[in-house]
Amino acid sequence: MAITAALAACGTFYIDPAEPFREANKQNLAKLSVGMAKTTAMELMGTEPSRGVFMWIDNPHRSEWITGNDGKPYEVLYYYTDMKQRDDKITDDELTPLIFQDGRLVGWGKDALQRLGS
């Protein structure tokens, strides 16, 4: 009977190997400041991927160039910080953008990205 209860409990137990990676990224966001050099921001956020058994996650996860409402180009680096659904997929709503212009951090987070018009 005890074995049955233990096995039933294991059915709902989930180990998320990417949680320490996401937590480190969230903690590192608190160390950022507007105006810092891109190289400094990347050193703080880290550039080593998560080399999990089931999932390899690049850090940053992805990047892109956008044009802001002001017509200027911005580089956006996306870091994996949240898990919305346990589906082994990383979606845009699970990423935090860091926004750079001319090699300097101008903001981070979805609100900062929206203010640029992207």
Side-chain angles (χ1 to χ4, degrees):
M1 203 117 121
I3 294 174
T4 305
L7 289 175
C10 289
T12 59
F13 184 69
Y14 176 77
I15 296 175
D16 179 7
E19 184 173 352
F21 183 72
R22 287 192 309 272
E23 283 302 313
N25 279 345
K26 283 193 267 192
Q27 290 174 5
N28 291 335
L29 288 173
K31 300 173 186 174
L32 299 175
S33 60
V34 170
M36 73 173 30
K38 177 184 169 189
T39 53
T40 304
M42 289 186 73
E43 285 173 11
L44 284 173
M45 291 301 296
T47 57
E48 285 296 312
S50 170
R51 295 183 179 105
V53 175
F54 301 107
M55 182 186 274
W56 177 289
I57 306 168
D58 288 326
N59 206 36
H61 182 65
R62 68 180 176 89
S63 65
E64 68 178 345
W65 284 89
I66 62 169
T67 301
N69 288 336
D70 58 5
K72 295 178 183 177
Y74 293 87
E75 184 176 15
V76 184
L77 304 180
Y78 294 88
Y79 286 85
Y80 184 38
T81 55
D82 299 292
M83 180 176 63
K84 303 292 183 182
Q85 191 170 4
R86 291 183 182 154
D87 57 5
D88 294 331
K89 296 176 187 171
I90 298 174
T91 56
D92 286 347
D93 63 340
E94 297 173 327
L95 302 173
T96 299
L98 274 63
I99 306 151
F100 299 90
Q101 204 246 342
D102 293 331
R104 296 280 173 190
L105 183 65
V106 297
W108 62 93
K110 292 167 183 64
D111 291 340
L113 191 58
Q114 287 177 343
R115 282 193 295 274
L116 287 177
S118 178

